[in-house]
Amino acid sequence: MSAPPASPGHQLPREHYLNSTYGIRSWLLTTDHKRIALLYLVSVTFFFFIGGLFATMIRIHLLTPTGYLVTPETYNKLFTMHGVAMIFFFLIPSIPAVLGNFLIPLMIGAKDLAFPKINLLSWYIYLVGGCFVLYSFSTGGLDTGWTFYTPLSSVYSNSAVTPAVIGIFINGFSSILTGLNFIVTIHTMRSPGMTWFRMPLFVWAHYATSIIFVLGTPVIAITLLLAGMERMFHLGFFNPAMGGDPILFQHLFWFYSHPAVYIMILPAMAQAYFWLLLHRWFEHRHRGHRFLRLGASHVPDRRIHLRRAGILAS
């Protein structure tokens, strides 16, 4: 018995980013911003579980006042490795690299980011930096704290500081390239009618975050590189015994690390605001009212930009 013909109003699902090509090679060499966002999602989730494992061991150790699971030295390493994994490889890249990559082109009516190949390159750089940090974790760990304060990290620590510092330095290039990609995309690839003050708050938040990426990340990258060079080549940038200044390291470190708080919170607040707007849109659509603007572009009007980007059917 033959299947009944499809009704005129029913359309078969068209080709999309998940079924356009198949195979591991198609994912590893993709330049589709949505696929790269999913690659980032898998990567940051992996580091989330790594950091969560260290946190779980810390909590088990603290079940008793004296601690019974690990030695004090190992506890310091668990605390440091938890901070490094969670901050540099989960919290900072999670929302921009995943949701930013996926949603920014859709929200401004672009078909992709301005530099798709650089977008893929930033993910590979993230993986290379992560491999160095995992090597550090597996060869003795870190006991300096995630802030890497000198001269402890550059002179006195006997843990695997150097590969971790190199890994974070490499990972910084991933953040810089992602931030540059977002800035250029938002400046040059907005669809006609998507003016600056019609952009969603989510896009504005990532624009501000990208500026912090570009301005702040080079500072901490160079700072950690100097600490690593001091450790490897016995230089005197921060070692007071050789005329260095350990307080200088703190100034340079927190020049980035304090704005990094906003890298974490601005996209999260914008995402929460976006879901609030979406909820209000559905609520007013159900009641038959027009959606309230509330400081962002009309959600129903976004369909125009999505059609221009070839994401929605006309």
Side-chain angles (χ1 to χ4, degrees), residues 83-276:
V84 169
M86 283 297 195
I87 292 174
F88 293 109
F89 291 91
F90 174 71
L91 283 174
I92 289 176
S94 58
I95 297 181
V98 178
L99 295 179
N101 261 320
F102 199 102
L103 294 176
I104 285 178
L106 308 185
M107 287 186 167
I108 66 174
K111 290 188 176 181
D112 209 316
L113 293 177
F115 307 111
K117 293 182 180 179
I118 290 180
N119 194 23
L120 179 63
L121 175 64
S122 67
W123 177 68
Y124 277 109
I125 292 174
Y126 173 87
L127 291 185
V128 172
C131 289
F132 272 90
V133 170
L134 291 177
Y135 174 79
S136 172
F137 291 173
S138 62
T139 55
L142 304 167
D143 61 358
T144 62
W146 73 271
T147 55
F148 294 95
Y149 278 171
T150 56
L152 173 61
S153 63
S154 61
V155 178
Y156 299 110
S157 176
N158 294 320
S159 58
V161 176
T162 302
V165 166
I166 294 174
I168 296 172
F169 174 79
I170 294 172
N171 185 45
F173 287 96
S174 175
S175 298
I176 293 170
L177 293 177
T178 300
L180 285 173
N181 219 343
F182 286 172
I183 291 173
V184 175
T185 301
I186 294 169
H187 268 272
T188 63
M189 298 186 67
R190 302 191 312 275
S191 65
M194 178 60 74
T195 61
W196 283 97
F197 290 102
R198 294 196 69 190
M199 287 196 313
L201 186 62
F202 184 83
V203 180
W204 271 109
H206 278 80
Y207 184 75
T209 299
S210 299
I211 293 175
I212 300 175
F213 273 147
V214 173
L215 296 180
T217 306
V219 177
I220 191 173
I222 293 298
T223 303
L224 292 177
L225 181 64
L226 291 176
M229 291 174 63
E230 183 175 276
R231 182 178 180 85
M232 290 184 290
F233 304 114
H234 306 288
L235 303 177
F237 300 116
F238 310 114
N239 184 4
M242 301 179 66
D245 185 2
I247 303 300
L248 175 62
F249 177 90
Q250 297 183 27
H251 287 314
L252 295 174
F253 181 88
W254 289 107
F255 181 88
Y256 165 84
S257 297
H258 179 67
V261 174
Y262 302 101
I263 294 176
M264 304 172 197
I265 195 62
L266 281 177
M269 291 191 296
Q271 183 67 14
Y273 188 71
F274 171 76
W275 288 112
L276 173 64

